[in-house]
Coordinates of all heavy atoms in Angstrom, one line a residue:
L316 N -43.7 17.8 -38.5 CA -43.6 18.1 -37.2 C -42.1 18.1 -36.7 O -41.5 17.1 -36.9 CB -44.3 17.1 -36.3 CG -45.9 17.1 -36.4 CD1 -46.5 16.0 -35.5 CD2 -46.5 18.4 -36.0
T317 N -41.7 19.1 -36.0 CA -40.3 19.1 -35.4 C -40.5 19.6 -33.9 O -41.5 20.3 -33.7 CB -39.3 20.0 -36.1 OG1 -39.8 21.3 -36.2 CG2 -39.1 19.4 -37.5
G318 N -39.7 19.3 -33.1 CA -39.9 19.7 -31.7 C -39.8 18.6 -30.7 O -39.1 17.6 -31.0
N319 N -40.4 18.7 -29.7 CA -40.4 17.8 -28.6 C -41.7 16.9 -28.5 O -42.7 17.4 -28.2 CB -40.2 18.5 -27.3 CG -38.9 19.4 -27.3 OD1 -37.9 18.9 -27.8 ND2 -39.0 20.6 -26.8
Q320 N -41.5 15.7 -28.7 CA -42.6 14.7 -28.6 C -42.2 13.6 -27.6 O -41.1 13.3 -27.5 CB -43.0 14.0 -29.9 CG -43.6 15.0 -30.9 CD -42.7 15.6 -31.9 OE1 -41.6 15.1 -32.1 NE2 -43.0 16.8 -32.4
H321 N -43.2 13.1 -26.9 CA -43.0 11.9 -26.0 C -42.6 10.8 -26.8 O -42.9 10.6 -28.0 CB -44.2 11.7 -25.3 CG -44.1 10.8 -24.0 ND1 -44.0 9.4 -24.2 CD2 -44.0 11.0 -22.8 CE1 -43.9 8.9 -23.0 NE2 -43.9 9.8 -22.1
E322 N -41.9 9.9 -26.2 CA -41.4 8.7 -26.9 C -42.5 7.8 -27.4 O -42.3 6.9 -28.3 CB -40.5 7.8 -26.0 CG -41.1 7.4 -24.7 CD -40.1 6.6 -23.8 OE1 -38.9 6.6 -24.1 OE2 -40.5 6.3 -22.7
A323 N -43.7 7.9 -26.8 CA -44.8 7.2 -27.2 C -45.6 7.8 -28.4 O -46.6 7.2 -29.0 CB -45.8 7.0 -26.1
F324 N -45.2 8.9 -28.9 CA -45.9 9.7 -29.9 C -46.1 9.0 -31.1 O -47.3 8.9 -31.7 CB -45.2 11.0 -30.1 CG -45.8 12.0 -31.2 CD1 -46.9 12.7 -30.9 CD2 -45.3 11.9 -32.5 CE1 -47.5 13.5 -31.9 CE2 -45.9 12.6 -33.5 CZ -47.0 13.4 -33.2
E325 N -45.1 8.4 -31.7 CA -45.2 7.7 -33.0 C -46.1 6.6 -32.9 O -46.9 6.3 -33.9 CB -43.8 7.4 -33.5 CG -43.0 8.5 -33.9 CD -41.7 8.1 -34.6 OE1 -41.8 7.5 -35.7 OE2 -40.6 8.4 -34.2
E326 N -46.1 5.8 -31.9 CA -47.0 4.7 -31.7 C -48.4 5.1 -31.6 O -49.3 4.6 -32.3 CB -46.6 3.8 -30.4 CG -47.5 2.6 -30.3 CD -47.2 1.8 -29.0 OE1 -46.3 2.3 -28.3 OE2 -47.9 0.8 -28.8
V327 N -48.7 6.2 -30.9 CA -50.1 6.7 -30.8 C -50.5 7.3 -32.1 O -51.7 7.0 -32.5 CB -50.1 7.8 -29.7 CG1 -51.5 8.4 -29.6 CG2 -49.8 7.2 -28.3
L328 N -49.6 7.9 -32.8 CA -50.0 8.5 -34.1 C -50.4 7.4 -35.1 O -51.3 7.6 -35.8 CB -48.8 9.3 -34.6 CG -48.9 10.0 -36.0 CD1 -50.1 11.0 -35.9 CD2 -47.7 10.6 -36.4
L329 N -49.6 6.3 -35.1 CA -49.9 5.2 -35.9 C -51.3 4.7 -35.7 O -52.1 4.4 -36.6 CB -48.9 4.1 -35.9 CG -49.1 2.8 -36.7 CD1 -49.2 3.2 -38.2 CD2 -48.0 1.8 -36.4
I330 N -51.6 4.4 -34.5 CA -53.0 3.9 -34.0 C -54.1 4.8 -34.4 O -55.1 4.5 -35.1 CB -53.0 3.5 -32.6 CG1 -52.0 2.4 -32.2 CG2 -54.4 3.1 -32.2 CD1 -51.8 2.2 -30.8
A331 N -53.9 6.2 -34.1 CA -54.9 7.1 -34.2 C -55.1 7.3 -35.8 O -56.3 7.6 -36.2 CB -54.5 8.4 -33.6
S332 N -54.1 7.2 -36.6 CA -54.3 7.4 -38.0 C -55.1 6.4 -38.7 O -55.8 6.5 -39.7 CB -52.9 7.5 -38.7 OG -52.3 6.2 -38.7
Q333 N -55.3 5.2 -38.0 CA -56.1 4.1 -38.4 C -57.6 4.2 -37.8 O -58.4 3.3 -38.0 CB -55.5 2.7 -38.1 CG -54.1 2.6 -38.6 CD -54.1 2.8 -40.1 OE1 -54.8 2.2 -40.9 NE2 -53.1 3.7 -40.6
R334 N -57.7 5.3 -37.1 CA -59.1 5.6 -36.5 C -59.5 4.6 -35.4 O -60.7 4.3 -35.2 CB -60.2 5.8 -37.6 CG -59.8 6.8 -38.6 CD -59.5 8.1 -38.1 NE -59.4 9.2 -39.0 CZ -58.2 9.7 -39.5 NH1 -57.1 9.3 -38.9 NH2 -58.2 10.7 -40.3
I335 N -58.5 3.9 -34.8 CA -58.7 3.1 -33.7 C -58.8 3.8 -32.4 O -57.8 4.6 -32.2 CB -57.7 1.9 -33.7 CG1 -57.9 1.0 -34.9 CG2 -57.8 1.0 -32.4 CD1 -56.8 0.0 -35.1
P336 N -59.7 3.6 -31.5 CA -59.7 4.4 -30.2 C -58.4 4.1 -29.4 O -58.0 3.0 -29.3 CB -60.9 3.9 -29.5 CG -61.8 3.4 -30.6 CD -60.9 2.9 -31.7
V337 N -57.9 5.1 -28.8 CA -56.6 5.1 -28.1 C -56.8 5.3 -26.6 O -57.6 6.2 -26.2 CB -55.6 6.2 -28.6 CG1 -54.3 6.1 -27.8 CG2 -55.3 5.9 -30.1
L338 N -56.2 4.4 -25.8 CA -56.2 4.5 -24.4 C -54.9 4.8 -23.9 O -54.0 3.9 -23.9 CB -56.8 3.4 -23.7 CG -56.9 3.4 -22.1 CD1 -57.7 4.6 -21.6 CD2 -57.5 2.1 -21.6
L339 N -54.5 6.0 -23.4 CA -53.2 6.3 -22.8 C -53.2 6.0 -21.3 O -54.0 6.7 -20.6 CB -52.8 7.8 -23.1 CG -52.9 8.2 -24.5 CD1 -52.6 9.7 -24.6 CD2 -51.9 7.5 -25.4
I340 N -52.3 5.2 -20.9 CA -52.3 4.8 -19.5 C -50.9 5.1 -18.9 O -49.9 4.6 -19.4 CB -52.5 3.2 -19.3 CG1 -53.8 2.8 -20.0 CG2 -52.5 2.9 -17.8 CD1 -54.0 1.3 -20.0
G341 N -50.9 6.0 -17.9 CA -49.7 6.4 -17.3 C -49.8 7.2 -16.0 O -50.9 7.7 -15.8
P342 N -48.8 7.5 -15.3 CA -48.8 8.3 -14.1 C -49.2 9.8 -14.3 O -49.1 10.2 -15.5 CB -47.5 8.2 -13.5 CG -46.5 8.0 -14.7 CD -47.4 7.1 -15.7
A343 N -49.6 10.4 -13.3 CA -50.0 11.8 -13.4 C -48.8 12.7 -13.9 O -47.7 12.4 -13.4 CB -50.4 12.3 -12.0
G344 N -49.1 13.6 -14.8 CA -48.1 14.5 -15.2 C -47.0 14.0 -16.1 O -46.0 14.6 -16.3
C345 N -47.3 12.9 -16.9 CA -46.3 12.4 -17.8 C -46.5 12.9 -19.2 O -45.8 12.6 -20.1 CB -46.3 10.8 -17.8 SG -47.7 10.1 -18.4
G346 N -47.6 13.7 -19.4 CA -47.8 14.3 -20.7 C -48.9 13.7 -21.6 O -48.9 13.8 -22.8
K347 N -49.9 12.9 -21.0 CA -50.9 12.2 -21.7 C -51.8 13.2 -22.5 O -52.0 13.1 -23.7 CB -51.8 11.4 -20.8 CG -51.0 10.2 -20.1 CD -51.8 9.3 -19.4 CE -52.5 10.0 -18.1 NZ -51.5 10.5 -17.2
S348 N -52.3 14.3 -21.8 CA -53.2 15.2 -22.4 C -52.5 16.0 -23.5 O -53.0 16.3 -24.5 CB -53.7 16.2 -21.3 OG -54.4 15.5 -20.3
H349 N -51.2 16.4 -23.2 CA -50.4 17.1 -24.2 C -50.2 16.4 -25.5 O -50.3 16.9 -26.6 CB -49.1 17.6 -23.6 CG -48.3 18.5 -24.5 ND1 -48.6 19.7 -24.9 CD2 -47.1 18.2 -25.1 CE1 -47.7 20.2 -25.7 NE2 -46.7 19.3 -25.8
L350 N -49.9 15.1 -25.3 CA -49.7 14.3 -26.4 C -50.9 14.1 -27.3 O -50.8 14.1 -28.5 CB -49.3 12.8 -26.0 CG -48.8 11.8 -27.1 CD1 -47.7 10.9 -26.5 CD2 -49.9 11.0 -27.6
A351 N -52.1 14.0 -26.6 CA -53.4 14.0 -27.5 C -53.6 15.2 -28.3 O -54.0 15.0 -29.5 CB -54.6 13.7 -26.5
A352 N -53.2 16.4 -27.7 CA -53.3 17.6 -28.5 C -52.4 17.6 -29.7 O -52.6 18.1 -30.8 CB -53.1 18.8 -27.6

Side-chain angles (χ1 to χ4, degrees):
L316 296 176
T317 57
N319 303 319
Q320 289 93 24
H321 193 280
E322 60 185 358
F324 177 82
E325 290 189 60
E326 181 181 0
V327 176
L328 179 61
L329 176 62
I330 298 171
S332 66
Q333 304 306 308
R334 306 306 189 251
I335 293 175
V337 177
L338 176 59
L339 305 176
I340 304 170
C345 68
K347 298 185 295 295
S348 301
H349 181 65
L350 187 147

